[in-house]
């Protein structure tokens, strides 16, 4: 027999031809498999191309992308494919037919879970190996590789409290300012970052850069940062970099704002 041609479906490719797998908030992906049992040389079909007995596809997956389910290529037509996976989903064996007839083609989808993919995942490799008890020389495994790009559906919103300020009073030089009460009216900027996709499982994997009008044209302070901190979902508060209050003014706790 001559079973062959197992491959994945079309995906975007980089400049080097490697498939690029873009991850956002999807919980699983479908790997399209196409297996054929055709003559090796269409010009001389009589040379080979017999029925392939006990035709089997063995797919091996990385820990980040375990097997989840089998899905037919055409839900309206019955599929001869039966798949059996091991306990952790790292490998699946799919029976393609016994026999897989000469000239036959089989298409189906392997559904893979993306829950193991993290921000550190840079590439994925799935090995596809065909086997048959019929005579089949040179039936080598095929490795499908993909580069992983994480696309996080992040959104940023901000609000200033109060929304309007008035400037006035005695103008002081920077060297004359010693206390928080001498830098003017306080305004609190609350910035919220939302992630509708997969959670970031590692610290330091996402950053937010904030910019504000720090000084006016003559070099005087406009908005002086008194407090800069990050409130995490667990209730902890983390310092930002660079730290606030560069002049090391005497602060009045527990007030929280920026001037």
């Amino acid at each position: 027999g001559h079973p062959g041609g197992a491959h994945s479906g079309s995906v975007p490719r980089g400049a080097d031809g490697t498939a690029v797998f873009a991850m956002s908030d999807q919980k699983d992906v479908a790997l399209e498999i196409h297996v054929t049992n055709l003559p090796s040389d269409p010009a001389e079909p009589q040379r080979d191309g017999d029925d392939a007995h006990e035709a089997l596809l063995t797919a091996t997956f990385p820990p980040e992308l375990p097997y989840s389910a089998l899905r037919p290529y055409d839900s309206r037509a019955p599929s001869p494919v039966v798949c059996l996976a091991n306990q952790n989903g790292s490998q699946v064996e799919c029976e393609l037919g016994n026999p897989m007839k000469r000239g036959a083609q089989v298409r189906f989808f392997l559904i893979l879970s993306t829950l193991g993919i993290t921000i550190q995942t840079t590439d994925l490799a799935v090995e596809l190996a065909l086997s048959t008890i019929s005579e089949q020389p040179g039936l080598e495994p095929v490795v499908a590789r993909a580069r992983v790009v994480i696309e996080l559906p992040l959104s940023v919103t901000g609000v200033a409290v109060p929304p309007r300020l008035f400037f006035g009073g005695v103008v002081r030089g920077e060297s004359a300012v010693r206390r928080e009460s001498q830098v003017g009216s306080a305004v609190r900027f609350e910035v919220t970052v939302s992630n509708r996709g997969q959670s970031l499982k590692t610290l330091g994997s996402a950053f937010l850069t904030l910019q504000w009008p720090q000084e006016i044209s003559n070099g005087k302070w406009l908005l002086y940062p008194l407090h800069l901190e990050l409130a995490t979902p667990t209730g902890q508060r983390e310092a930002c970099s660079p730290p606030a209050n560069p002049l090391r003014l005497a602060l009045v706790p527990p007030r929280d704002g920026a001037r």
Side-chain angles (χ1 to χ4, degrees), residues 185-199:
S185 303
V187 58
R188 177 188 179 98
F189 292 96
E190 296 181 355
V191 179
T192 302
V193 180
S194 302
N195 177 18
R196 296 180 289 104
Q198 294 189 5
S199 62

Side-chain angles (χ1 to χ4, degrees), residues 79 88 96 101 103 105 130 141 160 178 221 251:
S79 173
N88 62 6
L96 307 176
K101 294 291 186 179
Q105 301 188 40
L130 287 168
R178 296 285 186 269
W221 286 95
L251 303 180

Side-chain angles (χ1 to χ4, degrees), residues 52-67:
H53 294 270
E54 296 187 17
L56 186 73
L57 171 72
T58 301
T60 304
F61 309 101
E64 299 88 349
L65 202 67
Y67 171 80

Side-chain angles (χ1 to χ4, degrees), residues 3-209:
H7 62 84
S8 61
S10 60
V11 293
R13 296 186 178 275
D16 59 354
T18 303
V20 178
F21 179 46
M23 272 293 301
S24 54
D25 58 349
Q26 60 265 50
K27 298 296 186 294
D28 52 44
V29 295
L31 178 68
E32 180 186 347
I33 304 296
H34 182 202
V35 183
T36 63
N37 185 18
L38 303 176
S40 55
D41 186 357
E44 298 183 70
Q46 71 280 0
R47 292 180 55 187
D48 55 17
D50 299 327
D51 292 350
H53 294 270
E54 296 187 17
L56 186 73
L57 171 72
T58 301
T60 304
F61 309 101
E64 299 88 349
L65 202 67
Y67 171 80
S68 177
L70 168 68
R71 182 180 300 169
Y73 183 80
D74 185 353
S75 58
R76 297 168 299 179
S79 173
V81 179
V82 177
C83 293
L84 180 64
N86 62 0
Q87 188 171 4
N88 62 6
S90 63
Q91 191 174 81
V92 63
E93 293 184 346
C94 297
E95 298 178 1
L96 307 176
N98 189 20
M100 183 178 180
K101 294 291 186 179
R102 181 179 189 271
Q105 301 188 40
V106 178
R107 288 181 183 266
F108 57 96
F109 293 103
L110 297 179
I111 308 303
L112 312 179
S113 171
T114 64
L115 297 181
I117 294 179
T118 69
I119 201 76
Q120 277 75 35
T121 305
T122 57
D123 56 80
L124 297 168
V126 176
E127 183 182 274
L128 304 172
L130 287 168
S131 63
T132 174
I133 63 172
S134 301
E135 181 181 354
Q136 177 54 64
L139 199 60
E140 299 294 333
V142 174
V143 178
R145 300 184 183 275
R147 190 163 57 248
V148 178
V149 176
I150 305 296
E151 298 176 344
L152 294 176
L154 300 178
S155 63
V156 180
T157 58
V159 61
V161 182
R164 180 179 299 179
L165 287 177
F166 297 93
F167 292 84
V170 179
V171 178
R172 299 173 184 267
E174 182 178 292
S175 60
V177 178
R178 296 285 186 269
R179 299 183 303 276
E180 177 181 350
S181 59
Q182 296 175 319
V183 296
S185 303
V187 58
R188 177 188 179 98
F189 292 96
E190 296 181 355
V191 179
T192 302
V193 180
S194 302
N195 177 18
R196 296 180 289 104
Q198 294 189 5
S199 62
L200 295 175
K201 300 179 182 179
T202 54
L203 296 176
S205 52
F207 302 87
L208 175 67
T209 301

